[in-house]
Amino acid sequence: MKRIMLLLALLPGPREPAQVNVRLSEWKVELSQQNIAEGPVTFVVTNSGQIPHAIEVEGQGIEKEIETIQPGATGTLTLTLKRGRYEVYCPVGEGSHKKLGMEARLTVGSVRTSESTGYDGSAMGDAPAVQAISVTGGGPVVQILPGPFPFPDSAAPILQAFGDEREGLESQVKNGPYSNNVGRISGTFRFTAWDKGATRDSVDGIAEFTTQDGARWRLVLDRVQTKDVPHHPRFGGVILGLFYHGVTQVHTPLVPTINSAVALWAFGHLYRKGTLVTDNAMVHVMLLSRTRRDGDFALACWDCSRNKIEELQLQILPGPGEPKFDAPGGFLF
Ligand SMILES: [Cu+2]
């Protein structure tokens, strides 16, 4: 009996999975360790953010994801990983969470750099092919006047998660720059935007237009806004290729769900009839999948993400703490 006990103690038991703690938030995936041994591993994933997230582990022929985790909740994923490099990212939002920074790298076993087969930025499709974009408006120029948002019931459940921004957004549902109340105006808009990472994004552009009241406006864009974009969850600067708004819970749901070729946030120098109004107008520009129909330019869809990317939107709002100006926020070029 004694001999058998000893034998059992010497036998290698099933290996306990290694544990990697993963913390998800906007817009980061943080791993407790970036290097682990080959074999079984359990990812203990906590969503510390404000919106639902998930993880997908990809590399060496593996592509496994966890079910979506609600804010504050935890989930686990156990995998057996062989030696190599892996990518751990959030698959929510058709790639937009990943694009906003929710990705991390994990190395299993010891891997020499020359052996990075199966993990390579371009092969994984995560290296943006375009770093800059130049856009010139060419369509009818339309001013979006204040009015009710046409899909209030679709936006209502999304707004539940917006915390202290909810009240302001709910007032914009009733009367805001996302309405079907539009007027034809004249003007031009062109810009170039550079997507160079968290702090080096840049923009150079100019919009000139005459609003319905006959006032001539000029907006000069020469710097992006990377912080304090007043939308949940926060991000700014220049982003090329982003699926957001609407049902995504990313930024206001008073814009339908869209796909954008470029989205940017900038501070603009705004002039009215040649006089400087502000150097800090808050500007949001998107070249996006079409949301408005021909003719009356009414919002035509709540999910517009599959439409052709051909709508150029410009939104100009007063800077933080600055008084309202008498031009409403939204324009199409
Ligand atoms: Cu996410």
Side-chain angles (χ1 to χ4, degrees):
M1 192 65 182
K2 206 173 186 178
R3 191 171 294 169
I4 293 167
M5 291 291 284
L6 185 64
L7 190 62
L8 281 174
L10 289 173
L11 279 173
R15 178 118 73 90
E16 276 288 299
Q19 184 172 323
V20 175
N21 297 319
V22 184
R23 184 177 180 272
L24 304 177
S25 58
E26 295 84 31
W27 303 98
K28 280 184 291 195
V29 173
E30 294 166 285
L31 307 179
S32 58
Q33 13 182 0
Q34 276 92 44
N35 284 276
I36 55 169
E38 209 172 331
V41 53
T42 296
F43 295 91
V44 179
V45 188
T46 303
N47 182 355
S48 306
Q50 299 170 18
I51 62 174
H53 294 295
I55 63 161
E56 181 158 333
V57 178
E58 194 177 314
Q60 312 306 319
I62 278 189
E63 205 175 333
K64 291 271 192 238
E65 68 177 82
I66 198 168
E67 271 181 42
T68 301
I69 304 169
Q70 296 302 314
T74 298
T76 60
L77 175 66
T78 299
L79 299 171
T80 299
L81 298 181
K82 55 187 187 197
R83 200 163 71 105
R85 293 174 198 271
Y86 295 82
E87 193 179 35
V88 180
Y89 64 92
C90 177
V92 173
E94 314 229 338
S96 58
H97 290 207
K98 184 180 175 189
K99 192 159 277 176
L100 290 166
M102 293 191 73
E103 60 179 324
R105 278 130 202 238
L106 179 71
T107 304
V108 175
S110 57
V111 182
R112 291 193 301 273
T113 12
S114 58
E115 273 188 88
S116 62
T117 46
Y119 186 83
D120 167 307
S122 56
M124 309 284 286
D126 65 351
V130 184
Q131 296 289 339
I133 188 169
S134 289
V135 180
T136 302
V141 185
V142 173
Q143 181 176 6
I144 299 159
L145 298 156
F149 179 64
F151 304 109
D153 296 344
S154 303
I158 313 296
L159 285 173
Q160 302 292 327
F162 274 59
D164 53 4
E165 286 186 55
R166 186 171 152 189
E167 208 173 303
L169 287 166
E170 279 171 350
S171 83
Q172 291 186 328
V173 172
K174 297 191 190 86
N175 192 31
Y178 308 101
S179 77
N180 284 346
N181 181 16
V182 303
R184 291 289 282 264
I185 58 167
S186 62
T188 58
F189 181 30
R190 63 185 154 73
F191 69 91
T192 301
W194 294 266
D195 184 0
K196 295 180 173 178
T199 57
R200 298 188 305 130
D201 289 353
S202 187
V203 63
D204 176 25
I206 190 157
E208 288 177 303
F209 50 93
T210 303
T211 43
Q212 283 219 315
D213 57 5
R216 282 185 58 85
W217 298 81
R218 181 177 157 89
L219 175 74
V220 178
L221 300 178
D222 57 9
R223 69 205 199 279
V224 298
Q225 179 185 2
T226 54
K227 288 184 192 134
D228 300 317
V229 174
H231 276 310
H232 165 106
R234 289 165 184 246
F235 58 83
V238 174
I239 301 174
L240 299 177
L242 193 64
F243 167 91
Y244 73 127
H245 285 306
V247 296
T248 66
Q249 306 194 12
V250 177
H251 282 200
T252 179
L254 305 186
V255 172
T257 311
I258 59 98
N259 222 331
S260 61
V262 57
L264 71 87
W265 292 263
F267 286 116
H269 308 279
L270 183 67
Y271 302 84
R272 182 176 185 273
K273 296 179 177 170
T275 304
L276 182 70
V277 175
T278 174
D279 282 318
N280 298 301
M282 301 228 295
V283 176
H284 179 33
V285 177
M286 286 190 285
L287 177 60
L288 73 165
S289 50
R290 179 183 268 261
T291 63
R292 291 178 181 264
R293 64 190 178 207
D294 279 332
D296 64 1
F297 298 96
L299 279 165
C301 38
W302 164 244
D303 181 353
C304 308
S305 61
R306 314 240 171 257
N307 292 352
K308 196 174 170 200
I309 294 181
E310 58 183 3
E311 194 169 279
L312 178 58
Q313 286 194 8
L314 168 65
Q315 193 178 65
I316 310 167
L317 296 171
E322 293 192 345
K324 282 190 173 179
F325 32 73
D326 57 2
F331 300 89
L332 301 184
F333 284 88

